[in-house]
Amino acid sequence: EARIDQIYGNVLRLFEDEQIYKESNLKVNFLAEKLGISPHHLSMAINAKTGKPFYDFVNEYRVAALKDKLKMPANKQFTILSLAFDSGFNSKASLNRIFKQHTQLTPSQFQKAHFTK
C-alpha cells in the first residue's frame, strides 16, 4: 500500500508539475521507465488509486486541460484542434470521441456553452 501511494504520488507530480500528459504519444512504458518502475506496477498503482486504467487517467487530464483552454477568451483566436494538440491529443478523431465521453459535449459545443454571444 505504501509503495502504491509512493508511485501514485510520483505520477501526480509528473502530471501536475511537468504536465507530462501533454506528450501526445505518452505510453505506459515510457512513463514507467521515467519513474524507474515496471509498466505493470505503474498501471496497478494508477488503477488502485483511481479505479481507472492508464489511458483513461491520462485522458482525464487532457480533457481538463482542453476545457480550461476552451473557456479562456484569449484562446478564441486558436482552432479547437490546435488547443487539443497542445493538451496532448494526437488526432481529431480521438479528441472528439474522448472529449464527448467525458463531457457529453463536443469540444465546439463545450466552447459555445461557455461564451455568450
Side-chain angles (χ1 to χ4, degrees):
E1 185 66 34
R3 180 76 176 128
I4 287 173
D5 288 344
Q6 179 191 16
I7 291 169
Y8 186 68
N10 290 337
V11 168
L12 286 180
R13 267 189 293 290
L14 284 174
F15 273 67
E16 291 170 13
D17 298 344
E18 295 182 29
Q19 298 181 330
I20 197 164
Y21 59 87
K22 289 183 177 181
E23 295 283 331
S24 62
N25 292 315
L26 183 62
K27 304 268 188 271
V28 69
N29 290 346
F30 172 79
L31 189 57
E33 190 176 309
K34 191 166 176 69
L35 292 170
I37 59 172
S38 75
H40 174 74
H41 284 122
L42 173 60
S43 292
M44 197 173 73
I46 290 172
N47 200 292
K49 296 303 276 185
T50 68
K52 297 178 180 89
F54 176 76
Y55 288 105
D56 286 353
F57 178 77
V58 173
N59 286 331
E60 226 171 60
Y61 272 86
R62 290 176 176 165
V63 168
L66 180 56
K67 283 168 57 177
D68 288 343
K69 290 178 192 326
L70 292 173
K71 289 178 190 175
M72 296 173 72
N75 285 336
K76 287 280 278 183
Q77 64 182 317
F78 302 110
T79 66
I80 289 173
L81 195 56
S82 70
L83 295 172
F85 288 154
D86 191 47
S87 300
F89 290 98
N90 59 12
S91 76
K92 187 175 183 176
S94 67
L95 157 67
N96 287 321
R97 179 178 46 78
I98 292 164
F99 195 90
K100 193 157 189 171
Q101 230 173 14
H102 286 261
T103 66
Q104 282 66 58
L105 299 169
T106 65
S108 58
Q109 289 170 332
F110 180 87
Q111 188 178 47
K112 282 180 190 143
H114 286 84
F115 290 105
T116 54
K117 296 198 169 37

